[in-house]
Amino acid sequence: MNSIQPSVTLRPMTGEAGDLESALELSRAVGWAYRLDDWRVAQSLGQGILAEENGQVIASAICWPYGDAFATCGSIIVAPAMQGRGLGRSLLAHLLQSTGSRAVMLNSTAVGMRLYESFGFEATGTVHQHLGQVSAGTADAERGRWVRKANAEDLQTLLQMDRQAFGADRRRMIEEFNLIGSIAVIERAGDIQGYAICRPFGLGQVVGPVIACGAEDAKLLIEHFLRVNAGQILRIDTGGDSGLRDWLTAQGLLEVSSVTTMIRGHRPQITGPHRIFALASQSFG
Ligand SMILES: CC(C)(COP(=O)(O)OP(=O)(O)OC[C@H]1O[C@@H](n2cnc3c(N)ncnc32)[C@H](O)[C@@H]1OP(=O)(O)O)[C@@H](O)C(=O)NCCC(=O)NCCS
């Protein structure tokens, strides 16, 4: 693949242990709490690039295409000592070649925004990371009577719900999360009206995506995972307009950081009554 400076090469990121461990070192160097398995999942669902110099991995970036019209990208990291040399720009240019005519969405840290703006990304909203240790007895079990664990027959329904709320098909991602985590659905009179996934990630567990018709149903789904994860560290990434931020804080999940959602192109239309109340992750959208 292309070179930036003669000493630097870009190549595809593989799922081999060496690449995942190098990526883990990068994320640690910039203070991100990824685990090796988080990189494995991210790599296996997307298309990654690594930059190398003298046999050392010095930067990473991944995109996740969802069909022909939409993609997200993230895990864009340049080792601190290598920043400011044009690597971030070069990695992003490569990613955007592979996403082609798709609209591309990402969640930018403050330091990434100028770079993304220079490629035509525009800010469209904010995402707030809430994190905390779940205390026992946080959620009232009676409120959870509509919520149950998903079973295999629910999968098609929730895939369709997700496709309408996200605007593109995330089947592979949801199937992978089903293997590593657990899915809850909200059902009334035989009708599935929302779903949420909880899986190991970073410092503990993450709840997301949470897809529901309204904030009250989203809370019921999240409460289910608060009940089953007492004592654990739980993370939720929620949009600035979700209506959940004060409630999450009251549950002991404090806001620890925020990022800016940026889009290049037009996101596919969202249809149906369901909305996204928590992201799968800042990378996956
Ligand atoms: C964001 C990051 C990937 C940029 O990589 P980089 O190799 O340093 O960036 P480049 O040298 O290619 O510079 C690209 C553009 O970014 C902007 N930029 C670079 N350093 C910056 C800084 N410290 N603050 C704000 N903007 C900055 C500039 O606009 C620059 O373009 P220009 O030099 O033509 O003006 C890198 O700083 C990084 O890894 N940060 C920590 C992890 C992170 O926050 N990643 C972004 C996740 S969305």
Side-chain angles (χ1 to χ4, degrees):
M1 288 174 84
N2 286 2
S3 298
I4 305 102
Q5 294 170 3
S7 56
V8 177
T9 51
L10 303 188
R11 65 165 176 87
M13 179 180 184
T14 74
E16 284 168 23
D19 278 4
L20 299 179
E21 277 157 18
S22 298
L24 184 64
E25 259 180 58
L26 281 176
S27 52
R28 283 193 176 139
V30 296
W32 293 3
Y34 284 12
R35 305 162 312 142
L36 198 61
D37 204 54
D38 300 330
W39 277 107
R40 180 193 65 74
V41 171
Q43 187 279 333
S44 72
L45 294 174
Q47 297 163 5
I49 314 172
L50 294 178
E52 273 184 344
E53 188 174 51
N54 302 325
Q56 282 276 101
V57 170
I58 54 172
S60 68
I62 307 183
C63 68
W64 296 275
Y66 298 110
D68 295 335
F70 193 45
T72 62
C73 63
S75 300
I76 301 174
I77 304 174
V78 175
M82 304 294 163
Q83 290 176 7
R85 289 171 52 185
L87 271 171
R89 181 172 292 286
S90 187
L91 284 167
L92 187 60
H94 271 77
L95 278 192
L96 294 178
Q97 264 173 27
S98 66
T99 54
S101 60
R102 292 176 181 86
V104 180
M105 184 176 80
L106 55 78
N107 285 298
S108 178
T109 55
V111 79
M113 283 189 70
R114 254 171 41 207
L115 170 63
Y116 304 128
E117 276 165 0
S118 72
F119 278 85
F121 284 86
E122 288 176 6
T124 60
T126 54
V127 169
H128 303 262
Q129 183 193 158
H130 286 254
L131 187 77
Q133 186 171 21
V134 181
S135 49
T138 303
D140 169 9
E142 171 55 18
R143 274 174 52 81
R145 64 191 180 281
W146 309 113
V147 180
R148 63 165 172 81
K149 217 168 173 299
N151 56 47
E153 288 84 67
D154 300 323
L155 193 64
Q156 289 312 320
T157 307
L158 62 90
L159 283 173
Q160 188 191 2
M161 195 181 287
D162 191 83
R163 192 165 51 244
Q164 291 180 342
F166 184 72
D169 193 318
R170 298 196 288 184
R171 169 184 288 271
R172 276 187 63 211
M173 182 196 84
I174 291 169
E175 287 178 347
E176 171 69 24
F177 289 179
N178 192 24
L179 295 176
I180 59 174
S182 93
I183 307 184
V185 294
I186 185 159
E187 179 181 358
R188 293 189 183 88
D191 187 25
I192 294 183
Q193 299 177 342
Y195 90 95
I197 305 183
C198 181
R199 67 186 198 281
F201 180 84
L203 300 172
Q205 305 279 320
V206 66
V207 179
V210 176
I211 308 284
C213 289
E216 289 311 308
D217 277 5
K219 290 176 189 173
L220 294 178
L221 287 160
I222 294 168
E223 281 177 356
H224 169 81
F225 289 116
L226 290 173
R227 269 194 299 281
V228 299
N229 284 297
Q232 299 231 39
I233 302 280
L234 208 71
R235 169 176 174 167
I236 298 184
D237 293 280
T238 192
D241 56 359
S242 70
L244 293 185
R245 289 168 60 202
D246 289 346
W247 179 80
L248 288 170
T249 303
Q251 307 307 306
L253 304 183
L254 306 184
E255 179 171 341
V256 293
S257 65
S258 66
V259 287
T260 303
T261 304
M262 302 184 83
I263 295 194
R264 182 181 192 250
H266 295 288
R267 186 177 182 153
Q269 206 178 351
I270 288 156
T271 54
H274 299 95
R275 296 291 172 264
I276 297 174
F277 286 89
L279 274 61
S281 73
Q282 292 185 3
S283 293
F284 299 140

